[in-house]
Amino acid sequence: MMQTRQGEGSTFAVTIPFEIASEKEGKGDSEEEKKESLKGIHLLLAEDNELNVEVARELLEERGAVVSTAADGQEAVRMFEESPEGTYDVILMDVMMPVMDGLEATRKIRASQREEGRKIPIIALTANAFREDME
């Protein structure tokens, strides 16, 4: 079903039939297996808020990740550039930090002489949920 009103938008209704799973099928991975899903992953977490660092570190390490932290973008760039090739698997980068924000730090890592800098996944973190911030 679809309803459209000019200037107001559209409403879509979709019905998707599902079969009810048996109890055995619905269980999935054990809690222990889920926690180890990041085992061996080395992350560089760039975050200036100490509470956020504590929470993120606890959650990530609980699932097996190795976490290194930087308090601002400048420190994150330095840590990345001074580390041996392949040290980090992914960078979690807060967008708004003092000294150097996450966007500038990302630009510097991408422009680095290291080939790894052009392809390492960098995931932006922000508390801002406005469309302009996401763009």
Side-chain angles (χ1 to χ4, degrees):
M1 177 181 96
M2 181 179 96
Q3 293 179 332
T4 302
R5 291 199 178 123
Q6 190 168 359
E8 291 183 29
S10 301
T11 302
F12 299 89
V14 179
T15 303
I16 303 173
F18 289 100
E19 292 181 25
I20 297 174
S22 70
E23 188 172 322
K24 184 178 177 184
E25 290 173 321
K27 295 232 185 231
D29 294 336
S30 72
E31 221 26 63
E32 197 58 39
E33 290 170 323
K34 288 179 185 177
K35 285 184 179 182
E36 292 184 358
S37 65
L38 296 177
K39 189 171 184 155
I41 301 293
H42 194 164
L43 299 120
L44 174 55
L45 171 63
E47 170 64 66
D48 64 311
N49 182 296
E50 289 181 34
L51 180 60
N52 290 350
V53 169
E54 274 185 57
V55 171
R57 180 188 291 276
E58 179 70 27
L59 292 171
L60 294 165
E61 288 179 346
E62 186 176 281
R63 285 161 179 77
V66 177
V67 181
S68 298
T69 60
D72 58 57
Q74 184 174 355
E75 185 178 1
V77 171
R78 181 189 56 75
M79 288 175 69
F80 176 78
E81 289 180 346
E82 292 178 1
S83 66
E85 244 347 276
T87 297
Y88 303 110
D89 298 301
V90 65
I91 300 172
L92 302 177
M93 184 77 72
D94 184 13
V95 173
M96 297 176 67
M97 293 182 286
V99 183
M100 180 187 296
D101 68 34
L103 299 176
E104 182 62 25
T106 297
R107 283 189 210 66
K108 288 191 179 284
I109 290 170
R110 292 290 185 235
S112 137
Q113 296 298 312
R114 296 170 64 164
E115 183 179 328
E116 179 182 30
R118 290 184 288 285
K119 56 185 176 181
I120 188 168
I122 301 175
I123 301 169
L125 306 173
T126 183
N128 296 339
F130 298 110
R131 178 158 305 283
E132 308 86 61
D133 296 318
M134 288 185 244
E135 290 171 359

Short mmCIF file of all heavy atoms in Angstrom, two decimals, residues 62-89:
data_model
loop_
_atom_site.label_atom_id
_atom_site.label_comp_id
_atom_site.label_asym_id
_atom_site.label_seq_id
_atom_site.Cartn_x
_atom_site.Cartn_y
_atom_site.Cartn_z
N GLU A 62 36.61 -6.38 25.97
CA GLU A 62 35.75 -7.48 26.41
C GLU A 62 35.49 -8.46 25.26
O GLU A 62 35.29 -9.64 25.46
CB GLU A 62 34.42 -6.89 26.91
CG GLU A 62 33.47 -7.83 27.53
CD GLU A 62 32.25 -7.07 28.05
OE1 GLU A 62 32.36 -6.46 29.12
OE2 GLU A 62 31.21 -7.08 27.35
N ARG A 63 35.55 -7.94 24.05
CA ARG A 63 35.31 -8.77 22.86
C ARG A 63 36.60 -9.21 22.18
O ARG A 63 36.59 -9.70 21.06
CB ARG A 63 34.40 -8.02 21.90
CG ARG A 63 32.97 -8.03 22.41
CD ARG A 63 32.12 -6.96 21.81
NE ARG A 63 30.77 -7.01 22.31
CZ ARG A 63 30.37 -6.58 23.50
NH1 ARG A 63 31.25 -6.09 24.35
NH2 ARG A 63 29.12 -6.66 23.87
N GLY A 64 37.73 -8.98 22.86
CA GLY A 64 38.99 -9.50 22.37
C GLY A 64 39.88 -8.54 21.61
O GLY A 64 40.97 -8.91 21.18
N ALA A 65 39.45 -7.31 21.41
CA ALA A 65 40.26 -6.34 20.67
C ALA A 65 41.42 -5.83 21.53
O ALA A 65 41.34 -5.81 22.75
CB ALA A 65 39.41 -5.16 20.23
N VAL A 66 42.48 -5.42 20.86
CA VAL A 66 43.61 -4.74 21.50
C VAL A 66 43.42 -3.26 21.18
O VAL A 66 43.30 -2.90 20.01
CB VAL A 66 44.96 -5.24 20.95
CG1 VAL A 66 46.11 -4.48 21.56
CG2 VAL A 66 45.10 -6.74 21.18
N VAL A 67 43.36 -2.41 22.20
CA VAL A 67 43.03 -1.01 22.00
C VAL A 67 44.18 -0.10 22.44
O VAL A 67 44.65 -0.20 23.56
CB VAL A 67 41.75 -0.62 22.79
CG1 VAL A 67 41.40 0.85 22.57
CG2 VAL A 67 40.58 -1.52 22.42
N SER A 68 44.62 0.76 21.53
CA SER A 68 45.57 1.83 21.84
C SER A 68 44.79 3.13 21.75
O SER A 68 43.91 3.26 20.89
CB SER A 68 46.72 1.86 20.83
OG SER A 68 47.44 0.65 20.87
N THR A 69 45.09 4.10 22.61
CA THR A 69 44.31 5.33 22.61
C THR A 69 45.17 6.55 22.38
O THR A 69 46.34 6.60 22.77
CB THR A 69 43.54 5.50 23.94
OG1 THR A 69 44.47 5.56 25.02
CG2 THR A 69 42.56 4.37 24.15
N ALA A 70 44.55 7.54 21.74
CA ALA A 70 45.16 8.85 21.51
C ALA A 70 44.16 9.89 22.01
O ALA A 70 42.95 9.75 21.78
CB ALA A 70 45.44 9.05 20.03
N ALA A 71 44.65 10.92 22.69
CA ALA A 71 43.77 11.92 23.29
C ALA A 71 43.33 13.01 22.32
O ALA A 71 42.44 13.79 22.64
CB ALA A 71 44.45 12.56 24.51
N ASP A 72 43.95 13.07 21.14
CA ASP A 72 43.54 14.05 20.14
C ASP A 72 44.04 13.59 18.77
O ASP A 72 44.78 12.61 18.67
CB ASP A 72 44.07 15.46 20.48
CG ASP A 72 45.58 15.52 20.60
OD1 ASP A 72 46.29 15.15 19.62
OD2 ASP A 72 46.08 15.94 21.66
N GLY A 73 43.65 14.31 17.74
CA GLY A 73 44.01 13.92 16.38
C GLY A 73 45.49 13.96 16.10
O GLY A 73 46.03 13.10 15.40
N GLN A 74 46.18 14.94 16.67
CA GLN A 74 47.62 15.05 16.45
C GLN A 74 48.34 13.82 17.02
O GLN A 74 49.23 13.26 16.39
CB GLN A 74 48.15 16.32 17.10
CG GLN A 74 49.61 16.57 16.84
CD GLN A 74 50.06 17.92 17.38
OE1 GLN A 74 49.26 18.72 17.89
NE2 GLN A 74 51.34 18.20 17.28
N GLU A 75 47.94 13.41 18.22
CA GLU A 75 48.54 12.22 18.82
C GLU A 75 48.22 10.97 18.00
O GLU A 75 49.07 10.09 17.82
CB GLU A 75 48.06 12.05 20.27
CG GLU A 75 48.73 10.91 20.98
CD GLU A 75 48.29 10.77 22.43
OE1 GLU A 75 47.44 11.56 22.92
OE2 GLU A 75 48.79 9.84 23.09
N ALA A 76 47.01 10.89 17.46
CA ALA A 76 46.62 9.73 16.63
C ALA A 76 47.48 9.66 15.38
O ALA A 76 47.96 8.58 15.02
CB ALA A 76 45.14 9.82 16.25
N VAL A 77 47.71 10.80 14.74
CA VAL A 77 48.55 10.82 13.53
C VAL A 77 49.97 10.39 13.90
O VAL A 77 50.58 9.56 13.21
CB VAL A 77 48.56 12.23 12.88
CG1 VAL A 77 49.59 12.32 11.77
CG2 VAL A 77 47.17 12.57 12.34
N ARG A 78 50.52 10.93 14.99
CA ARG A 78 51.87 10.57 15.42
C ARG A 78 51.97 9.08 15.72
O ARG A 78 52.89 8.41 15.26
CB ARG A 78 52.27 11.38 16.67
CG ARG A 78 53.69 11.06 17.16
CD ARG A 78 53.98 11.68 18.51
NE ARG A 78 53.05 11.34 19.56
CZ ARG A 78 53.00 10.16 20.18
NH1 ARG A 78 53.81 9.19 19.84
NH2 ARG A 78 52.12 9.95 21.14
N MET A 79 50.99 8.54 16.46
CA MET A 79 51.02 7.12 16.80
C MET A 79 50.96 6.26 15.54
O MET A 79 51.68 5.27 15.42
CB MET A 79 49.86 6.77 17.75
CG MET A 79 50.06 7.31 19.15
SD MET A 79 48.62 7.03 20.21
CE MET A 79 48.69 5.25 20.40
N PHE A 80 50.11 6.64 14.60
CA PHE A 80 50.00 5.88 13.35
C PHE A 80 51.32 5.92 12.58
O PHE A 80 51.82 4.89 12.15
CB PHE A 80 48.86 6.44 12.48
CG PHE A 80 48.76 5.76 11.15
CD1 PHE A 80 48.19 4.51 11.04
CD2 PHE A 80 49.28 6.35 10.02
CE1 PHE A 80 48.13 3.86 9.81
CE2 PHE A 80 49.23 5.72 8.79
CZ PHE A 80 48.65 4.47 8.68
N GLU A 81 51.87 7.11 12.42
CA GLU A 81 53.09 7.26 11.62
C GLU A 81 54.32 6.61 12.27
O GLU A 81 55.21 6.15 11.57
CB GLU A 81 53.36 8.74 11.34
CG GLU A 81 52.36 9.30 10.35
CD GLU A 81 52.58 10.77 10.03
OE1 GLU A 81 53.33 11.47 10.76
OE2 GLU A 81 51.98 11.24 9.04
N GLU A 82 54.36 6.56 13.60
CA GLU A 82 55.50 5.98 14.30
C GLU A 82 55.38 4.47 14.52
O GLU A 82 56.34 3.83 14.94
CB GLU A 82 55.72 6.69 15.64
CG GLU A 82 56.17 8.12 15.47
CD GLU A 82 56.34 8.86 16.79
OE1 GLU A 82 56.10 8.25 17.87
OE2 GLU A 82 56.70 10.05 16.75
N SER A 83 54.22 3.91 14.23
CA SER A 83 54.02 2.48 14.45
C SER A 83 54.53 1.68 13.24
O SER A 83 54.52 2.18 12.12
CB SER A 83 52.54 2.17 14.67
OG SER A 83 51.81 2.44 13.48
N PRO A 84 54.96 0.45 13.49
CA PRO A 84 55.36 -0.40 12.35
C PRO A 84 54.16 -0.67 11.44
O PRO A 84 53.02 -0.68 11.89
CB PRO A 84 55.83 -1.69 13.02
CG PRO A 84 56.10 -1.34 14.44
CD PRO A 84 55.19 -0.20 14.77
N GLU A 85 54.41 -0.85 10.16
CA GLU A 85 53.37 -1.19 9.18
C GLU A 85 52.53 -2.34 9.72
O GLU A 85 53.07 -3.30 10.25
CB GLU A 85 54.05 -1.70 7.94
CG GLU A 85 54.02 -1.06 6.60
CD GLU A 85 53.14 0.02 6.13
OE1 GLU A 85 52.01 -0.27 5.70
OE2 GLU A 85 53.59 1.14 6.10
N GLY A 86 51.23 -2.25 9.60
CA GLY A 86 50.34 -3.33 10.00
C GLY A 86 50.00 -3.38 11.48
O GLY A 86 49.33 -4.30 11.93
N THR A 87 50.45 -2.39 12.26
CA THR A 87 50.16 -2.39 13.70
C THR A 87 48.67 -2.31 13.96
O THR A 87 48.13 -3.04 14.78
CB THR A 87 50.87 -1.21 14.41
OG1 THR A 87 52.28 -1.39 14.27
CG2 THR A 87 50.50 -1.14 15.88
N TYR A 88 48.00 -1.39 13.26
CA TYR A 88 46.57 -1.16 13.49
C TYR A 88 45.74 -1.76 12.36
O TYR A 88 46.11 -1.64 11.19
CB TYR A 88 46.27 0.33 13.61
CG TYR A 88 47.06 1.00 14.71
CD1 TYR A 88 48.08 1.89 14.42
CD2 TYR A 88 46.81 0.71 16.05
CE1 TYR A 88 48.82 2.50 15.42
CE2 TYR A 88 47.55 1.31 17.07
CZ TYR A 88 48.55 2.20 16.74
OH TYR A 88 49.28 2.78 17.73
N ASP A 89 44.62 -2.36 12.71
CA ASP A 89 43.69 -2.90 11.73
C ASP A 89 42.62 -1.88 11.36
O ASP A 89 42.06 -1.92 10.27
CB ASP A 89 43.01 -4.16 12.27
CG ASP A 89 44.02 -5.25 12.55
OD1 ASP A 89 44.72 -5.66 11.60
OD2 ASP A 89 44.14 -5.68 13.71
#
